[in-house]
Amino acid sequence: MLEASPLDGWKLRHEGEELPAVVPGCVHTDLLAAGAISDPFVGSAESEVAWVGRREWTYETHLPAVPSGHEQTDLVFDGLDTVAEITLAGRLLGRVRNMHRSYRFDVTGLGGPLSVRFASAYAEAEAVRGKVGDRPGAYAEPYQYLRKMACSFGWDWGPTLVTAGIWRPVRVERWSTARLARVRPLVTVEQGVGVVELLVDVERTRVQAGLTLEARVGDRRVRADVVGSGAAVRVEVPDAQLWWPRGCGEQPLYEVELTLHHNSAPLDVWRRRVGFRRVELDTSADARGTGFTLVVNGERLFARGVNWIPDDVFPSRVTRERYRKRLRQAADAGVDLIRVWGGGLYESEDFYDACDELGLLVWQDFPFACAAYPEEQPLRGEVEAEARENVVRLMPHPSLVLWNGNNENLWGFRDWGWEERLGGDSWGEGYYLGVLPRVVAELDPTRPYTAGSPWSGSWSRHPNDPAHGTHHSWEVWNRQDYADYRSEVPRFVAEFGWQAPPAHATLRRALPGEVLAADSPGMLHHQKAEDGNGKLARGLARHFVVPEADFDRWHYLTQVNQARAVATGIEHWRSHWPVCAGTIVWQLNDCWPVTSWSAIDGDGREKPLYHELRRLYADRLLTVQEREGRLVVAAVNQCAERWEGTVTLRRLSVQGRELAAATAELAVGAREVGETPVPAELVPAGAEEFLVADSRGCPRAGGAGSEGRLRAVHFPASDREVPYPRPEFEVSVAPGTVTVTAHTLVRDLLLQADRLDPDARADRGLVTLLPGERVTIGVEGWQTPDAAAARAALYCQEPAR
């Protein structure tokens, strides 16, 4: 039977110095553990450790040459970052140049000192650039010249910390006769029968008759003979339970076990969990253009998505528990789709396992982002090899529903001046429209492939045409007001977002001792977007009067503005289902403490946007929208059940007086949107009035404490024009709760729980209370409840100063 054991005892060597090394890990984490560098997440230490990415580093250990009773011994690296030379007892085993691949070396009968010497990623990238020629990219760093996580070189939300090291596990495998070299599971549903077809490649030490495979799925077992180097085994599961996205059904998973035998003796075992479901991508043309709708088990879905970046700039630090926590946060926010963005990684099995269990659909980018990628060697062969390995590795996961060729490169070629600069040089089109779709079609025909995001489906149209395929909406953040989200109805919004700083406690940890200001040195260092603070300031000025030299107020208002911006887009686009079939917010998470577009900051704290997503992505949503100059209340029903009830409409003054009221009946079909016109007498007449729409008895409402009530609030003017009363409210506390009772209109009330205790967390974000209403906010991690402290941590809209 194949035996596998980890290889330990690693040391990190550089210029004669030796440090303990942790594998999996990287140079930076080993240097941090030894106290040799400062934490690059704190202050401006990122710049102080830039030298690390420009040096060579060597990992060393000893491989014992112990007779094992097996015919072959393999040394297996699951991940090497990135360009390295591996030697054993002075003998070259191989040279590698791809972070996204695993490597296997035959070390039968060998032993002695084992060395993995990493070249500087910068040196390698520059060497490749010198060979293939210069290519344009969104950033000056040379990330497109080697197969490495692009955002190691920095991004508009990430630090430049260019890693090296053995970033995934290393093991020694000992085996005889034969082993399972590759297992490719095709999981389908045929007329209610679940089918698992296992296509198997077998590696042999020698030609040997009597090799058989036994596959088991539940209580179903099938055997097959191995002929030559492979075999196929088909297992049928009658009455298989379907795997569904969260909110649509359950997520049953079936254990698949494949055993390779020689005669009756087991040689190797492969185990995975699979789920039975059918996935399609509907890109058919219609009167509005070209659609982009995910269909799972025959159900057409509005995808409620978030973009995922690596959760740490040092990926080896992301544990199974951390993946699960972050993805659980996503699921709790109503998210049903995670897009793994192309400047990052093919994530570990732990990530996809959690998505399988939580019912989170996965859109997987191939790792290409925001640059022209050369198609010459040595890159072309690496691209195909990594694609083949990772497509097969991830195939068992039912959560994986879409392969995507790249992030923004087709758009960049057409719109960012690349075409002229390239002058006919290769830039990646051959990957996205040739190599990658061919690999997916050959290896994983059960899943759809799309060439890029954004992509309109054809060069006959602009790649980012909102009427066709996927669309990235960045003009709004970069140059416009978020109200302009309402000017378009794209078929699928794969990226859009708005910035806000991280939580206060995160800033205090990352910038110790600094007097915080929007433009203080540490804040500027932890703002990586081009003119990021300028865009934040202009976005605020359109809606709020921002007091000068009041950081706390600025911090609060930028958080509010982020939530408002994203809400404006999602409410508008969801109300236009099925023309628009999905939104993917940029972005769920951060990889370090930074001002960014994230809903969860680099320390794992939830911004107000996170809690707003719980409302926006709930199965049922109530929103006030404009249709041809008239207001309507749109009831968005993503449930499989009909939504029937009433909606109460009230026109109120900001002083709290009811000016008019009416009720209307709701009758919205399953997975449909219903619209109720707002009577003329209920339309707010100016900045001193607003509209409130309430629907009760709605069990699929989102957000903590919604208690089955859905509410939409519509103000016809920007906040800077609204004559808010001075907010008056009472605060009471009890263990685990803060209760606020409003005596006036209190708009955008926010308890910043991390100001009470860095470990404290509130169960909701922004809340608007009418006079006489109250809200009870759950608070975890606050050990000494105090009403005065709670009041000091509460923020809301105030009269303009």
Side-chain angles (χ1 to χ4, degrees):
M1 187 71 170
L2 183 147
E3 296 177 357
S5 56
L7 186 59
D8 300 319
W10 291 93
K11 300 289 185 182
L12 176 63
R13 187 176 298 279
H14 171 66
E15 296 181 350
E17 296 185 15
E18 184 179 279
L19 299 172
V22 174
V23 172
C26 71
V27 171
H28 289 83
T29 54
D30 290 331
L31 293 173
L32 275 169
I37 59 172
S38 300
D39 185 347
F41 288 10
V42 175
S44 60
E46 171 206 354
S47 302
E48 299 166 11
V49 302
W51 60 272
V52 174
R54 296 189 177 274
R55 305 286 178 89
E56 291 187 355
W57 300 91
T58 301
Y59 283 76
E60 295 179 347
T61 191
H62 186 85
L63 178 69
V66 178
S68 64
H70 290 85
E71 294 174 341
Q72 183 157 327
T73 301
D74 290 342
L75 176 63
V76 183
F77 294 92
D78 284 340
L80 293 168
D81 176 17
T82 291
V83 179
E85 180 179 272
I86 301 99
T87 58
L88 177 59
R91 171 183 173 181
L92 178 66
L93 293 181
R95 295 184 177 92
V96 303
R97 54 190 317 117
N98 193 327
M99 182 183 187
H100 305 302
R101 291 178 61 186
S102 64
Y103 297 93
R104 177 180 293 266
F105 302 100
D106 183 350
V107 293
T108 305
L110 302 178
L114 175 64
S115 170
V116 184
R117 181 170 63 86
F118 288 94
S120 161
Y122 280 109
E124 169 68 12
E126 294 301 339
V128 173
R129 173 156 40 192
K131 180 178 180 180
V132 303
D134 193 37
R135 298 293 194 282
Y139 303 99
E141 299 283 316
Y143 56 90
Q144 67 267 53
Y145 300 102
L146 72 171
R147 298 308 297 150
K148 175 178 172 59
M149 182 174 86
C151 62
S152 283
F153 291 90
W155 220 259
D156 56 5
W157 37 257
T160 302
L161 294 166
V162 180
T163 51
I166 305 173
W167 77 287
R168 279 182 168 162
V170 186
R171 65 187 178 277
V172 177
E173 291 188 357
R174 299 177 175 90
W175 54 282
S176 298
T177 308
R179 72 175 185 91
L180 297 170
R182 186 175 77 167
V183 180
R184 186 159 61 92
L186 297 176
V187 183
T188 56
V189 181
E190 299 176 5
Q191 297 180 336
V193 175
V195 177
V196 180
E197 186 175 8
L198 301 171
L199 305 175
V200 185
D201 294 339
V202 173
E203 181 183 359
R204 300 168 180 260
T205 60
R206 50 197 163 92
V207 176
Q208 185 76 36
L211 290 182
T212 60
L213 294 167
E214 181 181 57
R216 178 184 61 80
V217 182
D219 59 357
R220 311 285 292 186
R221 293 178 183 270
V222 176
R223 298 179 70 92
D225 293 331
V226 177
V227 179
S229 61
V233 188
R234 177 185 171 97
V235 184
E236 297 185 356
V237 182
D239 301 319
Q241 292 182 284
L242 295 180
W243 184 97
W244 288 93
R246 62 159 299 281
C248 294
E250 300 301 315
Q251 293 80 43
L253 297 171
Y254 290 76
E255 187 82 23
V256 178
E257 181 179 273
L258 178 71
T259 305
L260 175 65
H261 291 90
H262 178 229
N263 297 327
S264 60
L267 299 177
D268 198 359
V269 178
W270 178 92
R271 295 183 182 90
R272 297 291 188 276
R273 293 183 305 172
V274 302
F276 294 104
R277 87 290 180 271
R278 301 183 306 277
V279 58
E280 303 163 82
L281 179 63
D282 184 356
T283 57
S284 56
D286 57 28
R288 301 289 293 266
T290 308
F292 194 93
T293 304
L294 282 166
V295 185
V296 179
N297 298 329
E299 288 285 354
R300 303 173 66 82
L301 303 178
F302 182 98
R304 295 168 281 183
V306 288
N307 282 276
W308 171 275
I309 66 170
D311 206 50
D312 197 315
V313 74
F314 306 130
S316 59
R317 297 200 299 199
V318 184
T319 62
R320 181 178 182 84
E321 292 72 28
R322 181 162 159 184
Y323 275 127
R324 192 163 295 273
K325 177 180 179 181
R326 197 71 69 242
L327 292 167
R328 178 77 260 176
Q329 287 174 297
D332 287 346
V335 169
D336 62 15
L337 182 142
I338 306 283
R339 177 189 173 211
V340 182
W341 167 75
L345 301 162
Y346 308 95
E347 296 285 350
S348 82
E349 295 295 329
D350 296 330
F351 173 92
Y352 304 95
D353 285 345
C355 291
D356 291 343
E357 296 167 12
L358 294 168
L360 293 170
L361 302 174
V362 176
W363 158 331
Q364 177 70 52
D365 280 15
F366 286 97
F368 301 89
C370 300
Y373 283 77
E375 297 176 41
E376 292 79 13
Q377 298 295 6
L379 292 171
R380 188 177 186 87
E382 291 293 341
V383 166
E384 179 153 356
E386 84 177 46
R388 287 183 170 277
E389 177 176 333
N390 285 283
V391 166
V392 172
R393 178 173 72 89
L394 301 182
M395 281 175 65
H397 295 284
S399 56
L400 178 59
V401 296
L402 182 67
W403 292 103
N404 176 52
N406 74 89
N407 176 75
E408 298 189 344
N409 294 344
L410 297 163
W411 181 19
F413 177 76
R414 179 55 51 85
D415 246 16
W416 301 348
W418 294 0
E419 190 169 3
E420 297 77 14
R421 287 181 58 187
L422 285 163
D425 288 344
S426 68
W427 57 273
E429 182 182 25
Y431 298 145
Y432 319 133
L433 300 179
V435 173
L436 298 176
R438 170 171 55 80
V439 168
V440 171
E442 174 192 339
L443 299 177
D444 188 15
T446 68
R447 290 181 177 86
Y449 170 88
T450 185
S453 185
W455 179 234
S456 61
S458 167
W459 281 120
S460 66
R461 300 181 285 264
H462 189 281
N464 200 27
D465 187 335
H468 300 276
T470 50
H471 177 68
H472 288 196
S473 180
W474 284 117
E475 283 299 296
V476 169
W477 156 252
N478 286 319
R479 296 174 182 83
Q480 301 170 6
D481 180 27
Y482 54 72
D484 292 333
Y485 284 135
R486 302 189 186 103
S487 66
E488 293 180 329
V489 184
R491 305 311 302 265
F492 193 107
V493 188
E495 281 190 21
F496 78 106
W498 203 269
Q499 273 200 347
H504 185 266
T506 300
L507 290 173
R508 286 269 59 103
R509 185 193 68 79
L511 305 174
E514 180 162 314
V515 177
L516 295 177
D519 58 354
S520 62
M523 289 293 295
L524 291 178
H525 186 81
H526 289 250
Q527 163 63 279
K528 297 295 185 178
E530 181 182 0
D531 190 31
N533 271 20
K535 293 170 185 175
L536 280 175
R538 291 189 290 276
L540 280 177
R542 294 184 181 103
H543 295 273
F544 302 101
V545 175
V546 184
E548 294 185 8
D550 187 342
F551 176 80
D552 289 344
R553 194 74 189 161
W554 175 88
H555 181 266
Y556 160 73
L557 289 175
T558 53
Q559 301 272 358
V560 171
N561 221 33
Q562 181 188 38
R564 290 266 193 93
V566 172
T568 299
I570 292 178
E571 290 187 24
H572 169 66
W573 294 320
R574 280 194 76 180
S575 77
H576 282 280
W577 161 261
V579 175
C580 180
T583 56
I584 310 181
V585 177
W586 189 271
Q587 65 218 62
L588 174 68
N589 56 328
D590 271 324
C591 64
W592 78 313
V594 65
T595 296
S596 84
W597 299 263
S598 71
I600 302 170
D601 75 17
D603 282 5
R605 295 187 174 93
E606 298 157 350
K607 297 182 186 178
L609 171 59
Y610 171 83
H611 297 282
E612 186 70 352
L613 286 177
R614 298 177 70 187
R615 180 183 72 85
L616 297 167
Y617 276 168
D619 290 340
R620 286 175 174 166
L621 172 70
L622 210 61
T623 175
V624 177
Q625 297 291 317
E626 188 172 307
R627 298 286 190 266
E628 299 179 352
R630 296 187 60 192
L631 290 184
V632 301
V633 176
V636 181
N637 181 26
Q638 201 155 341
C639 298
E641 305 84 26
R642 186 176 176 82
W643 179 7
E644 295 186 346
T646 60
V647 59
T648 301
L649 302 175
R650 289 177 288 168
R651 179 164 64 94
L652 303 173
S653 75
V654 294
Q655 302 303 320
R657 187 163 60 93
E658 184 177 293
L659 304 174
T663 61
E665 297 299 315
L666 285 179
V668 187
R671 307 198 195 287
E672 292 184 357
V673 177
E675 294 183 356
T676 300
V678 176
E681 64 272 17
L682 292 172
V683 175
E688 296 185 2
E689 298 179 3
F690 64 104
L691 174 68
V692 176
D694 285 309
S695 179
R696 294 188 178 274
C698 187
R700 305 291 282 274
S706 59
E707 297 161 351
R709 183 188 72 184
L710 288 177
R711 168 171 285 181
V713 180
H714 170 72
F715 284 78
S718 68
D719 292 74
R720 61 180 301 121
E721 300 168 336
V722 176
Y724 289 118
R726 186 158 301 280
E728 297 179 7
F729 53 84
E730 295 178 8
V731 180
S732 61
V733 298
T737 64
V738 173
T739 299
V740 178
T741 303
H743 299 306
T744 62
L745 170 67
V746 178
R747 192 178 185 194
D748 296 324
L749 179 73
L750 176 66
L751 176 66
Q752 296 191 29
D754 61 291
R755 290 178 180 264
L756 302 173
D757 187 292
D759 293 329
R761 176 188 178 272
D763 67 358
R764 73 192 64 205
L766 301 168
V767 179
T768 292
L769 298 176
L770 305 181
E773 293 184 338
R774 70 174 56 183
V775 62
T776 297
I777 304 167
V779 182
E780 298 177 358
W782 186 28
Q783 305 304 321
T784 56
D786 175 80
R791 178 173 280 275
L794 285 163
Y795 290 75
C796 63
Q797 299 294 349
E798 298 178 352
R801 302 178 192 176

